[in-house]
Amino acid sequence: MSAAKPQVHVIGTGGSIAGIGPDRLDYMLYSEIGDHLTIQQSLDRVPEIASFASVTSEDLVSVGSTAIGATEWLALADRINNLLADGSPLTGVAVTHGTATLEETSYFLHLTVKTGKPVVVTGAMRPPTAISTDADLNLMDAVRIAASPHAGGMGVLTVLNNEIHSARDVSKANTFRVETFRPNELGFLGYADSDHQVVFYRAPLRKHTTATPFDVAGRDSLPRVEIVYSYAGADGAVLDAVRQLRPDGLVVVGFGGGTFPPAFLSAAARAVDDGIPVVLASRSTAGRVVNTPRKEEQGFLVCDNLLPQKARVLLMLALTVSREREWLQEAFLEF
Ligand code: ASP
């Protein structure tokens, strides 16, 4: 292999992109069966990758992404930070991951990896054993983007269905379609296209990677932040029960730009009174949640336009720096 080729390291974690189903018609059971190809076996299916990148690989874990959480996020951030430390010969890193929690892992890495080099996360909606799998294409695209001189400085990117997204904005929007990853109304960043080009049309503006204060090296856990969802008639009893768990923070999910059932909001205010930072988020899938003088006086924080699961990731990280209210609110406006 030519030394002139970009060097990309691929980290496998499992997920549908590595899933082994019972037959070619299976798009669901493989997930429960839980068998996965190794990342090397996945790469062996796409020998074309060797024509444009020199690839090394490792399996970090081999699980469905429903089983991924803070422990795996910390291990991934640590590994990528080591791989891309000053003097690294790598051009970039690609990560394969289940689609269920891909958006959370990606945003966590977006805020914690300290590099201007490309870091790209991909998954698949159809396992490699199924007819019309998207596993091979998505893996190839991820390596292509990680090898691209255009993909640096953008923070962590995701790619499925040839579409490149910012980790901050991307979310899984459809249960089964291959075009499931959507950018929360804001537009994706570019394409990994059929002429083998990686093309960008826009770049993220919010701070990420080297511009964040989040240093998770040496940590083995993160603050506990729970999400509580509201609905017509929610009386706050569940929120009160969660409050008894004494979480480090709460994200509460309401309606539209930041309204809640009155009894639910009273329960949220009791959590603030207990000293728990409470972030207001929305069950609307796009748009900002804004504070009001009254809610500010009650001590609530707002998530800006982050989806609840992303707001949780940011609050977990922000709480590693400070519990001070103004700093926490600023974090939601900056990252
Ligand atoms: N069960 C899978 C997961 O690991 C789903 C997927 O990858 O699409 O998240």
Side-chain angles (χ1 to χ4, degrees):
M1 192 156 302
S2 155
K5 282 179 198 153
Q7 292 184 44
V8 174
H9 190 74
V10 186
I11 303 175
T13 69
S16 295
I17 193 165
I20 303 174
D23 57 61
R24 291 194 343 131
L25 299 184
D26 179 60
Y27 296 91
M28 189 69 200
L29 300 180
Y30 69 91
S31 231
E32 280 177 12
I33 295 167
D35 292 338
H36 296 105
L37 300 178
T38 64
I39 191 60
Q40 190 55 54
Q41 287 171 322
S42 292
L43 286 162
D44 287 346
R45 291 167 55 92
V46 200
E48 295 82 356
I49 288 176
S51 68
F52 61 84
S54 167
V55 171
T56 50
S57 68
E58 71 186 77
D59 294 289
L60 189 95
V61 288
S62 181
V63 296
S65 72
T66 52
I68 280 183
T71 305
E72 293 73 23
W73 297 346
L74 290 165
L76 262 177
D78 203 46
R79 185 67 184 126
I80 295 171
N81 278 327
N82 282 329
L83 284 164
L84 296 180
D86 286 350
S88 165
L90 293 174
T91 311
V93 168
V95 178
T96 60
H97 196 287
T99 59
T101 62
L102 187 148
E103 63 202 75
E104 286 146 278
T105 300
S106 304
Y107 188 42
F108 181 82
L109 296 176
H110 187 66
L111 296 171
T112 56
V113 297
K114 301 299 172 194
T115 183
K117 291 184 177 180
V119 175
V120 187
V121 186
T122 192
M125 292 303 289
R126 299 171 181 165
T129 44
I131 292 174
S132 201
T133 179
D134 53 336
D136 302 334
L137 178 65
N138 292 344
L139 176 59
M140 188 184 68
D141 282 349
V143 176
R144 196 183 288 291
I145 298 163
S148 167
H150 307 298
M154 301 263 200
V156 172
L157 303 168
T158 72
V159 66
L160 272 89
N161 201 38
N162 301 133
E163 295 169 354
I164 307 169
H165 293 263
S166 167
R168 180 185 186 277
D169 301 323
V170 74
S171 185
K172 183 174 178 176
N174 186 289
T175 52
F176 283 111
R177 305 284 75 81
V178 292
E179 69 276 26
T180 184
F181 279 91
R182 308 314 309 161
N184 194 12
E185 224 176 47
L186 299 172
F188 50 86
L189 304 181
Y191 302 114
D193 236 336
S194 57
D195 60 355
H196 309 319
Q197 297 302 307
V198 174
V199 184
F200 287 92
Y201 299 92
R202 54 186 103 233
L205 287 178
R206 292 298 179 98
K207 291 181 183 166
H208 55 73
T209 55
T210 51
T212 79
F214 305 124
D215 177 3
V216 292
R219 290 193 78 93
D220 57 11
S221 66
L222 289 168
R224 177 175 184 154
V225 175
E226 295 294 336
I227 300 175
V228 186
Y229 199 93
S230 72
Y231 42 83
D235 65 2
V238 172
L239 184 42
D240 275 332
V242 173
R243 186 164 61 91
Q244 301 311 319
L245 298 174
R246 305 291 312 156
D248 298 299
L250 279 169
V251 175
V252 294
V253 187
F255 314 121
T259 55
F260 291 83
F264 184 94
L265 194 63
S266 300
R270 286 193 284 279
V272 177
D273 291 344
D274 281 357
I276 302 170
V278 177
V279 175
L280 307 181
S282 177
R283 70 185 200 179
S284 294
T285 54
R288 295 172 61 228
V289 170
V290 297
N291 228 331
T292 60
R294 180 148 180 253
K295 290 204 187 80
E296 254 194 81
E297 203 175 300
Q298 288 174 293
F300 291 117
L301 305 161
V302 288
C303 70
D304 190 33
N305 74 336
L306 290 177
L307 295 174
Q309 60 273 30
K310 306 269 186 150
R312 173 176 175 264
V313 171
L314 178 52
L315 186 55
M316 290 163 90
L317 282 170
L319 286 168
T320 65
V321 176
S322 170
R323 293 182 62 82
E324 202 259 313
R325 186 174 177 277
E326 266 169 43
W327 147 253
L328 292 174
Q329 186 57 78
E330 199 49 38
F332 279 90
L333 305 178
E334 273 189 40
F335 305 116

